[in-house]
Amino acid sequence: FFSRHMSTASAAAAATAAPPAPLPVPPPPAGSASAEVPVQQASRPIVVGSCAYWRGKEAEESKSHEWTVYVRAASPDEDPGLFIKRVVFQLHPTITPSTRTVEAPPFEVTEQGWGEFEVGIKVYYHGGERAVDFSHLLKLYPEAEVAGSPARELSIDRPVVAEKYDEIVWAEPSAELRARLSEADKHAPEKGWRSSKHAKWFCTFEPEPQEAEMKACYERITQELRAASRRRIEMEEEIRQLRAEPAD
């Protein structure tokens, strides 16, 4: 697979986002049927994230928050179960059981607790494709939405959302997976996440505007580097000339 991703710490701070460049999945062994017949690559964006709700007056010392960690489709009208076979969540060892396997959408786990920790997530795909590992930091406490400003206070009316966009690209997908992805392209609103109780807090990822901004930034940096290189060459020439001048 290729995996390209971006992260955001809160729904308010995540209006647009662009994923970076992908990493390839190794092709099938030489001599196999799929290696002999070229297959067009396929891709699917997914989102790995969590919503954490402060329990307010119901909060206990060891259960201050109720949180949900999940893997969802980027599109609200897509059925992720068409291409995701199952998801295994590895929670903190103090949570029993710490390993949770979800075989059908919604691919999520809900628990109560008080601490933040890294959640290990393994996504298995249909068609015998290699499983993909993710790591997600469960966030319970809000951060500053603008650098230098104080973090917002805990509120029972607004959860802390942390999401990461990933685009999985299969270099040579199996026939089964290609068929399933084609079916997923038809969209099934009744099987998407619009009806999720967390839907209003999910982040919107719009890569195109951010890609244009990143391109412009790249061009500015390139121009600055070229200008710095010219200045360095000029300075080196001045130093060479000074050294070549005879001493008085």
Side-chain angles (χ1 to χ4, degrees):
F1 68 99
F2 297 88
S3 176
R4 57 182 187 175
H5 65 270
M6 70 77 51
S7 300
T8 182
S10 68
T16 61
L23 302 172
V25 166
S32 66
S34 56
E36 295 170 359
V37 180
V39 177
Q40 186 176 5
Q41 71 177 26
S43 65
R44 190 64 46 180
I46 64 171
V47 177
V48 177
S50 59
C51 281
Y53 300 83
W54 180 50
R55 301 181 65 207
K57 294 181 179 180
E58 297 181 0
E60 304 172 17
E61 184 176 358
S62 62
K63 295 181 179 180
S64 59
H65 291 74
E66 179 170 296
W67 49 261
T68 300
V69 60
Y70 50 82
V71 175
R72 66 175 176 87
S75 167
D77 299 323
E78 187 171 73
D79 177 9
L82 285 172
F83 55 93
I84 295 178
K85 188 174 184 178
R86 66 179 178 277
V87 178
V88 178
F89 296 88
Q90 190 62 50
L91 308 178
H92 195 274
T94 57
I95 299 175
T96 305
S98 59
T99 301
R100 309 288 179 88
T101 300
V102 183
E103 303 278 356
F107 296 105
E108 62 183 34
V109 171
T110 298
E111 274 289 352
Q112 294 182 346
W114 60 271
E116 299 180 341
F117 60 91
E118 289 282 345
V119 181
I121 301 172
K122 199 176 192 73
V123 181
Y124 292 83
Y125 298 95
H126 287 286
E129 301 293 338
R130 192 178 73 181
V132 181
D133 290 300
F134 299 93
S135 180
H136 175 73
L137 177 60
L138 173 65
K139 298 290 294 182
L140 304 185
Y141 302 96
E143 298 178 346
E145 296 179 353
V146 179
S149 65
R152 66 178 175 86
E153 296 182 355
L154 286 170
S155 170
I156 60 173
D157 299 319
R158 182 181 176 187
V160 174
V161 180
E163 293 195 318
K164 180 174 67 176
Y165 173 108
D166 264 272
E167 184 173 346
I168 308 304
V169 181
W170 295 274
E172 297 187 3
S174 66
E176 179 186 350
L177 181 61
R178 281 187 284 115
R180 286 176 169 276
L181 291 174
S182 178
E183 186 67 23
D185 287 337
K186 298 177 182 179
H187 286 179
E190 70 281 3
K191 296 184 178 180
W193 49 256
R194 288 186 188 275
S195 60
S196 168
K197 70 175 184 179
H198 312 296
K200 66 179 292 186
W201 305 112
F202 286 164
C203 303
T204 301
F205 297 92
E206 300 177 358
E208 292 181 3
Q210 190 71 5
E211 286 175 355
E213 182 180 342
M214 291 177 67
K215 182 178 180 181
C217 181
Y218 171 79
E219 292 175 350
R220 288 196 301 270
I221 294 173
T222 300
Q223 292 174 358
E224 291 175 2
L225 288 173
R226 288 173 178 170
S229 179
R230 287 195 298 269
R231 289 195 298 270
R232 178 181 60 81
I233 293 173
E234 292 170 356
M235 292 179 64
E236 289 177 348
E237 178 61 22
E238 291 178 7
I239 294 173
R240 188 189 66 77
Q241 292 179 3
L242 288 172
R243 289 176 175 173
E245 291 179 359
D248 293 337

